Amino acid sequence: ATDSAARWHEAFRQAARDWLGTLDDDERLLLGLRWRYRMSQREAARLFGLNEGTLTRRTDKLRDKALAHIGERLVAEGC
């Protein structure tokens, strides 16, 4: 079970890194501000000059792309 968990963990990490590599600068900045620096949605929207609803839709789209990309990779690797 430990080898399986380690294999899954490494496959997940690599898939996530690969997905992050597909993002443009604004997308990376958005995720970094929200996740790394824990900036509120309101603050991030203000910084980008967007209303909160638009920022939410962008964040949701990034989440959906991440789930699809990472999920596909894990299935392809048999995890």
Side-chain angles (χ1 to χ4, degrees):
T2 303
D3 288 341
S4 176
R7 187 171 136 267
W8 181 90
H9 181 76
E10 185 53 38
F12 176 86
R13 287 179 49 179
Q14 189 58 52
R17 279 191 193 114
D18 291 347
W19 173 74
L20 288 168
T22 69
L23 302 180
D24 65 31
D25 290 342
D26 281 346
E27 292 168 330
R28 274 193 299 278
L29 178 60
L30 171 58
L31 293 179
L33 292 173
R34 295 282 287 133
W35 293 347
R36 173 76 172 115
Y37 295 103
R38 300 184 187 274
M39 185 177 280
S40 74
Q41 183 169 299
R42 179 169 286 137
E43 293 170 319
R46 192 174 315 129
L47 182 71
F48 279 95
L50 302 170
N51 73 36
E52 287 183 63
T54 301
L55 188 83
T56 297
R57 285 187 292 281
R58 285 188 183 182
T59 304
D60 289 349
K61 187 184 288 188
L62 286 171
R63 179 202 60 219
D64 293 345
K65 286 181 181 179
L67 292 173
H69 179 90
I70 294 168
E72 289 168 9
R73 286 285 302 274
L74 292 175
V75 168
E77 298 209 15
C79 294

